[in-house]
Amino acid sequence: MKSVLYVLSAFAVMGLAFWAYHENYQTQQALKDVEQLQREIGARRESLAVLRAEWAYLNRPERLNDLVNMNFERLGLLPLTPEQFGRVEQLSYPVTHDIIPGLGSDFDIDNSVSVQGDQP
Amino acid sequence: MIRAPLRPLARILRAREAGENPDAIEAENLRLRHENMRDASRLQAEGRLLVLSVFFFCAFALVGARMGLLAASEAEEPRAQASGAAIVAQRADITDRNGRILATNMYTYSLYAQVPDMVDKPKAARELALIFPDLNEQKLLEDFTGKRKFLWIRRVLSPEQKQAVHDIGDPGLLFGPREMRLYPNGKLAAHILGGATFGREGVHSAEVIGVAGVEKAFDDFLRDPANGGKPLQLSIDLTVQSALRQVLYGGMKLMNAKGAAAVLMNIHTGEIISMVSLPDFDPNDRPTPALTGDPADSPLFNRAVQGVYELGSTFKIFAIAQSMELGLNGPDTMVDANAPMKWGKFTIREFENKNYGPKLSVTDVIVKSSNVGTARIAMEIGAQRQKEFLRTLGFLEATPVEMVEAPGARPIFPSNWSEITTITASYGHGIAASPLHLAAGYSSLLNGGTLVTPTLLKRENVAPGPRIVSKQVSAAARDMLRQVVVRGTASFGAVPGYEVGGKTGTANKPKPNGGYYDNKNINTFAAVFPTSEPEYTLIVTMDEASDNSSSKPRRTAGWTAVPVAAEVIRRTAPLLGLRPIIEKVGLPEVTLTSN
């Protein structure tokens, strides 16, 4: 009986030793992975910072101004002026044809003008 | 346990027979028993002591060994801790109010030489001089062959330069990683940002420290790792800053000015939306301060903050507003404006010796910019009250703005505030302040009458400061300034839709050794818009401007600073989201309703 117990505990010790050995290597691998990831995060952050700096550099107002001037014929961009602010009532809405009931959609008004406001 | 008897019968009997005292036997046995007991307990105590000492020895040995290990081993990051802490740059970014980058970091390399490791010194010197034209081959070779063992060659390298140096292939030429400060917008906001340089330098890294402006004022904040890389957000709006600089630069060239400065301030919060001083510099390559000559001529000089000038008639509104606040005058009160006015040995004249008098309404004193009228009003107020009022508005102290240059720019005024000072200060002479002072003063006076503190930091909610003047006085002052633009000296300042109000100021520049130049002016226009519901204050100052478009050069602010300011407002107000105020023509408004 006693010898069986001895043999069993010897196997248990060997099993545990193998498990501990295995865990040790897994832990070291995980640490290496973390380190690798940290390094990668650092590198990514660095390149992100460089990209952000480059984005800011390429979008500097001076350069955008030059680009707008160079492409004026194509884009026709001008500085924002007060006249470009509009109001809702200054918009002309698209004319829908069946606005007068019973006339159908083939009814066309010649020389239509857009009218707004009260009747005189 | 069998104990030895103290009085064994056999020995007792024998002793009695021999006639001895049997008690001696008992005493002897007792002694022996006690000796045995003593030996046993000593053994036990000694054993316990031994165990305890072994325990203590082990404990101290453990502590000592750990200490020795910690002292002798290389420091190492705790690797098992997967910390969430971000890897952040050494110095935080600076952004504008919308989060656009004004200053950030770049990663680059420095170049240094370990002279004993160098193989071909003449070749290295020759090639380095080819890559960097500002290096001298002869001097490099001297350094390489001299006594020095270590030598910095360049603080920062471009990637191309790094590759070229790498291609030399000398093992003694080494690169050290560097974080460098980058200002992607170049000259824009140069004076505000200031610049940065390297502090203590090592092979593996170097400190980046601010040298001027916001970079120096917030050096500790920007370098504090506890902030976790949180950027410093300024109140500056990059777009507006760009438009303002462009217009001001054009205006400076058109008006043949030596320099120009402008401050655009939120009238309620005191946030500086834009601040430009020309000529300016590139903070990426900050010039070294000139050791000779006038520092005000250097591009490093921030005219808006450091430029302490006599700001001329722009000060008149303060005297007028104070007299209205004190109830001495109303907007329509007629005051004596008969020019020239004699006071002691001084004669107060109007512009070009005109006479607007004999009587002018208070509004017309501002509209026509009458020195005499303002002087009379100031004399009613008195020196003490005038000085106190200007002190409350911040004209007697340096501005509290968050720049390292600000505390050095103290206003200049006579220590003895006599009556003639009262008179001249009322129209902006004899007291010198910076354009930023003026912007803060105008904001405080015209925003409804509460004090604002100029700031370069973005603020969400600002509680109104202490009251300076009543709402009515503030509104009346705005009306007067509006009249200046509608029918007064600043007629070029009108911008349709923005109800610009403002006051011109033309002051002769003082000579360095006393007296004033006749043909050199500081022209200022202090504007507020829109006057009905004020949002922004704009100060435009031009140094030695003159409009040469006609036969006679015109050097007044109305011809120089005002048209530039008008263009600034026309360009920047839409960018600030200000909707032009359109006069209603009686159309019924369409209301957007949801369905």
Side-chain angles (χ1 to χ4, degrees):
Chain A
M1 188 60 212
K2 246 184 185 174
S3 57
V4 175
L5 208 64
Y6 284 146
V7 169
L8 274 182
S9 38
F11 274 123
V13 166
M14 279 160 68
L16 282 173
F18 178 74
W19 176 80
Y21 176 85
H22 195 71
E23 285 297 301
N24 184 17
Y25 272 83
Q26 261 189 343
T27 310
Q28 283 188 11
Q29 187 57 42
L31 285 178
K32 264 185 212 153
D33 287 351
V34 167
E35 220 164 75
Q36 176 65 30
L37 285 173
Q38 300 267 33
R39 247 203 304 275
E40 205 172 310
I41 290 169
R44 290 282 160 95
R45 271 182 201 282
E46 201 176 295
S47 52
L48 199 65
V50 172
L51 285 175
R52 275 160 46 93
E54 192 168 347
W55 180 254
Y57 180 67
L58 291 176
N59 277 302
R60 65 192 189 276
E62 195 187 349
R63 177 173 176 270
L64 294 184
N65 203 25
D66 289 349
L67 286 178
V68 163
N69 288 340
M70 268 159 59
N71 294 298
F72 182 74
E73 298 201 340
R74 224 149 43 82
L75 302 172
L77 292 174
L78 285 169
L80 187 62
T81 54
E83 293 80 40
Q84 281 155 327
F85 279 88
R87 282 151 64 112
V88 176
E89 62 263 40
Q90 289 173 322
L91 293 176
S92 56
Y93 287 92
V95 177
T96 45
H97 286 297
D98 52 356
I99 196 159
I100 305 166
L103 284 175
S105 60
D106 55 340
F107 177 75
D108 259 337
I109 301 174
D110 292 329
N111 301 326
S112 59
V113 288
S114 92
V115 176
Q116 50 183 331
D118 291 333
Q119 279 190 321
Chain B
M1 184 183 155
I2 302 156
R3 294 219 295 193
L6 290 177
R7 293 170 76 97
L9 197 57
R11 282 185 68 189
I12 296 282
L13 291 175
R14 228 181 292 136
R16 277 191 184 152
E17 278 169 18
E20 290 166 6
N21 188 1
D23 286 350
I25 297 172
E26 189 189 347
E28 169 68 11
N29 281 340
L30 201 62
R31 187 186 63 83
L32 288 173
R33 183 189 283 185
H34 281 167
E35 264 182 16
N36 283 338
M37 278 165 69
R38 187 198 61 203
D39 287 350
S41 64
R42 170 186 284 167
L43 201 69
Q44 194 184 22
E46 275 177 354
R48 281 178 180 171
L49 274 176
L50 186 74
V51 169
L52 209 64
S53 62
V54 165
F55 171 77
F56 270 99
F57 176 79
C58 288
F60 279 106
L62 194 73
V63 171
R66 185 71 188 135
M67 281 167 68
L69 200 69
L70 285 178
S73 63
E74 279 276 311
E76 196 180 297
E77 292 268 330
R79 293 199 310 161
Q81 212 176 38
S83 62
I87 300 153
V88 289
Q90 192 194 115
R91 200 175 170 84
D93 288 357
I94 300 177
T95 67
D96 83 336
R97 61 185 301 115
N98 300 316
R100 281 170 292 201
I101 290 174
L102 295 176
T104 185
N105 299 303
M106 272 286 284
Y107 299 90
T108 179
Y109 289 90
S110 63
L111 174 63
Y112 61 94
Q114 294 278 16
V115 178
D117 294 344
M118 291 184 74
V119 177
D120 190 350
K121 288 170 184 172
K123 181 189 165 218
R126 196 171 56 243
E127 302 257 335
L128 281 174
L130 278 179
I131 298 167
F132 307 106
D134 53 322
L135 291 182
N136 184 341
E137 186 190 335
Q138 215 51 45
K139 205 174 162 303
L140 268 179
L141 194 60
E142 270 171 37
D143 282 336
F144 289 157
T145 49
K147 278 184 186 162
R148 301 182 66 170
K149 289 199 156 58
F150 181 90
L151 188 65
W152 287 109
I153 298 175
R154 296 291 282 203
R155 283 178 156 173
V156 287
L157 293 176
S158 73
E160 293 84 3
Q161 289 169 335
K162 188 187 171 214
Q163 186 57 45
V165 174
H166 209 76
D167 288 343
I168 298 176
D170 201 298
L173 294 177
L174 296 165
F175 306 104
R178 279 287 178 279
E179 264 179 47
M180 67 177 261
R181 205 65 169 152
L182 179 80
Y183 303 93
N185 300 304
K187 289 183 171 182
L188 210 64
H191 290 104
I192 298 167
L193 294 169
T197 185
F198 290 117
R200 275 173 302 185
E201 284 179 281
V203 166
H204 297 297
S205 66
E207 268 186 330
V208 183
I209 50 170
V211 287
V214 167
E215 287 270 28
K216 189 161 186 187
F218 285 99
D219 204 33
D220 291 339
F221 175 87
L222 291 168
R223 289 166 66 183
D224 191 354
N227 292 323
K230 197 166 81 78
L232 176 70
Q233 196 164 30
L234 299 186
S235 61
I236 299 295
D237 187 315
L238 185 66
T239 322
V240 176
Q241 176 84 3
S242 165
L244 179 59
R245 185 182 178 273
Q246 201 180 19
V247 174
L248 195 67
Y249 186 81
M252 185 178 86
K253 291 284 160 204
L254 268 178
M255 301 299 172
N256 309 301
K258 201 171 98 177
V263 180
L264 181 65
M265 185 182 276
N266 185 320
I267 203 165
H268 300 294
T269 61
E271 292 172 295
I272 298 167
I273 304 296
S274 174
M275 179 159 72
V276 177
S277 169
L278 294 173
D280 50 10
F281 60 94
D282 187 354
N284 291 306
D285 186 19
R286 192 182 159 86
T288 45
L291 296 174
T292 55
D294 188 1
D297 291 336
S298 159
L300 292 173
F301 186 74
N302 185 350
R303 286 160 198 274
V305 174
Q306 295 170 285
V308 179
Y309 309 112
E310 287 178 307
L311 292 167
S313 311
T314 50
F315 266 56
K316 281 177 185 159
I317 195 69
F318 298 121
I320 306 280
Q322 193 187 4
S323 105
M324 288 196 288
E325 176 70 12
L326 294 170
L328 302 174
N329 291 298
D332 301 319
T333 317
M334 300 304 279
V335 294
D336 180 7
N338 207 1
M341 168 187 151
K342 287 266 183 198
W343 190 91
K345 60 180 174 142
F346 301 98
T347 310
I348 316 295
R349 295 173 201 281
E350 304 286 16
F351 174 64
E352 291 182 336
N353 262 335
K354 287 180 187 163
N355 183 6
Y356 302 117
K359 290 268 180 184
L360 270 180
S361 74
V362 169
T363 306
D364 281 346
V365 167
I366 285 289
V367 170
K368 295 197 191 307
S369 193
S370 161
N371 293 340
V372 174
T374 322
R376 297 259 182 229
I377 290 171
M379 285 165 77
E380 281 174 24
I381 295 168
Q384 195 61 39
R385 287 194 287 188
Q386 185 198 35
K387 190 176 179 186
E388 261 331 290
F389 188 65
L390 290 178
R391 184 188 301 284
T392 347
L393 285 169
F395 280 107
L396 306 185
E397 305 285 338
T399 51
V401 76
E402 301 88 348
M403 287 178 76
V404 78
E405 293 88 350
R410 301 188 69 82
I412 303 166
F413 53 91
S415 51
N416 172 26
W417 200 279
S418 62
E419 185 139 45
I420 189 67
T421 312
T422 312
I423 292 172
T424 57
S426 71
Y427 55 86
H429 289 73
I431 173 166
S434 69
L436 188 60
H437 277 103
L438 195 62
Y442 263 61
S443 297
S444 301
L445 186 66
L446 302 172
N447 66 359
T450 54
L451 186 72
V452 301
T453 322
T455 178
L456 269 170
L457 294 184
K458 187 183 179 182
R459 288 183 183 168
E460 294 297 340
N461 296 308
V462 178
R467 186 153 285 283
I468 305 278
V469 292
S470 69
K471 263 192 179 147
Q472 291 75 19
V473 169
S474 180
R478 288 202 302 273
D479 276 347
M480 288 179 191
L481 294 180
R482 177 72 186 139
Q483 291 305 313
V484 176
V485 174
V486 173
R487 59 191 177 90
T489 52
S491 50
F492 287 132
V495 180
Y498 287 120
E499 295 183 351
V500 180
K503 183 75 196 79
T504 55
T506 308
N508 289 340
K509 277 180 84 167
K511 288 180 184 169
N513 40 12
Y516 286 90
Y517 290 108
D518 284 336
N519 54 357
K520 289 183 178 177
N521 289 347
I522 295 282
N523 295 332
T524 312
F525 183 51
V528 55
F529 61 95
T531 40
S532 54
E533 271 180 53
E535 291 287 344
Y536 296 99
T537 317
L538 173 72
I539 311 291
V540 172
T541 303
M542 305 195 98
D543 190 357
E544 297 181 23
S546 80
D547 171 25
N548 296 344
S549 57
S550 67
S551 56
K552 195 165 155 262
R554 285 180 283 222
R555 296 201 177 88
T556 58
W559 281 95
T560 53
V562 175
V564 175
E567 181 61 15
V568 167
I569 294 172
R570 209 179 67 79
R571 281 287 301 279
T572 56
L575 294 174
L576 291 162
L578 270 190
R579 176 176 286 270
I581 299 159
I582 300 165
E583 286 180 40
K584 301 233 164 120
V585 288
L587 286 175
E589 290 191 15
V590 175
T591 317
L592 195 65
T593 53
S594 61
N595 42 9

